[in-house]
Amino acid sequence: MMESTVPSERAPNQHAQALTVVTLPFNSSVRRSPLPPPCDKVPLLHFKRKIATLGTTFKDKNALLTGVGKGSIGVEILKGLLPGGAHVVITTSRYNRATAGHYQSIYQSFGARGSALTLTVVAFNQGSKQDVEALVNYIYATLGLGLDCILPFAAVPENDREIDGLDDKSELAHRIMLVSILGAVKNKKASRHFVSRPMQAILSLSPNHGLFGNVGLSSESKVSLETLFNRWNSESWGEYGPNALDFKVINGAEGEQDLEKLGGIIDLEKVVVITGFAEVSPWGSSRTHWEMEARGEFTIKGSIEMAWLMGHIKHFDGRLKDSSLYVGLVDSKTGGPVDGKDIRSRYKEEVLSYTGVQLIEPKLFCGYDPKKKVFN
């Protein structure tokens, strides 16, 4: 019944291929059709139609997406991941205020509860081994994320280049479109002994195996990507994936029921059970406390949380004093809009003045003065 409710214009395109040892034959029976094959015959099509009707979620998923320029396929994928609640790390080869503002507007339009968007704060060249390793280290060491998905879509156009016109730009474009970034992630996971289910890599393939022409080494790059389907089995890196640690928050009776279900399946004597992980410290929550412990300063994200926690900013959805519609953060005193990237510098002095170990100020505690305590 579900298939009949999908409008024809929303019916997903389908181009499925069956993996064999050396070839990927085209399967014409699962192409887009007004009367699609039974869903049990084409599970991928069934899944895509289910997404078109019921939606999907990327909650608690971390994705790395390169090649997210204006008008690109990557930026449309970004607009699909954010509403699903994913944490997406994107890269740019031109980092400036205008670029940051562009992606901030995308997040404001498409971001949903639980989603996050991180833009690398340095220029990134996917053809540079040094840049690739620095990016992966930034994700794992600085952001503290484990990647669930990589979409390496960065590319350099090579229009009007035939075989006699190949040059250094063609070589750079070829290198960028290959997947050295997967090797860097494999090394990072191997060094941390993260051996579990493979991380998902979504590659930008193409039927252009030299058929179009005048595109430099683009077709060679696409053919090279197809070798990964076999190399995943023939080489040693297929076993490396995200951290296999399972983390779940359970409460009260629900927790007791879950533990009873686990009995006989796992050895509860060897399972780490944390009975509480919340914190209210002189530096705010456990997140902001750790930022101060590890770095000695709040990040932009931590500064926003502290400014909100201390009442300097608040979320607003409505009309400002000038009658313009606005959704976002505003200053609690003036009611004026506040740009997220300016919060750290704007409220830094006020936040630091009332965080850390503080002497009790009677005026802030309804007149309570520890110096006037009476001991019986």
Side-chain angles (χ1 to χ4, degrees), residues 57-117:
T57 178
F58 303 110
K59 183 177 182 294
D60 299 325
K61 299 298 182 181
N62 303 317
L64 170 61
L65 181 57
T66 68
V68 200
K70 292 182 179 180
S72 66
I73 296 174
V75 79
E76 297 304 318
I77 294 175
L78 174 64
K79 294 176 182 178
L81 290 172
L82 290 176
H87 185 154
V88 186
V89 179
I90 62 175
T91 64
T92 178
S93 58
R94 299 178 180 85
Y95 184 82
N96 51 48
R97 191 177 184 90
T99 300
H102 170 66
Y103 291 115
Q104 182 185 32
S105 66
I106 291 177
Y107 181 75
Q108 290 175 340
S109 299
F110 295 92
R113 177 179 297 179
S115 67
L117 179 62

